[in-house]
Amino acid sequence: LLTPHHEVRTAVDGKSTLSATSVRRFDIALIDLGMPDLPGDRVARRRQEADPTLVTILLTGWAEVVMVGRWHG
């Protein structure tokens, strides 16, 4: 991702992620499940509804994931 052909943007929370992705199209989104203001799965679902072509990868540093199956409902 650090080549001249890629541009990386970061956001510190769910609201800023939704704001940034509403004014610009991205090819891929790496979203943390444990963001401070909105759960990452909710942010991902809202972005997926707005742009079904967006490739979304949900990440977590949590030792235990209790949301398995919730995304593909």
Side-chain angles (χ1 to χ4, degrees):
L1 292 177
L2 299 178
T3 67
H5 303 291
H6 297 95
E7 184 177 338
V8 177
R9 299 286 179 151
T10 60
V12 297
D13 57 30
K15 289 180 184 175
S16 60
T17 300
L18 291 174
S19 176
T21 57
S22 69
V23 295
R24 181 185 180 121
R25 188 191 177 289
F26 291 88
D27 295 320
I28 189 168
L30 304 174
I31 300 175
D32 186 355
L33 283 170
M35 289 190 281
D37 59 347
L38 292 172
D41 63 325
R42 186 180 309 163
V43 173
R45 188 168 302 276
R46 287 173 61 181
R47 290 310 320 137
Q48 200 69 33
E49 289 169 355
D51 181 3
T53 66
L54 178 65
V55 174
T56 303
I57 300 171
L58 294 170
L59 305 169
T60 185
W62 296 339
E64 182 178 326
V65 178
V66 294
M67 293 187 231
V68 173
R70 199 164 120 185
W71 178 250
H72 293 293

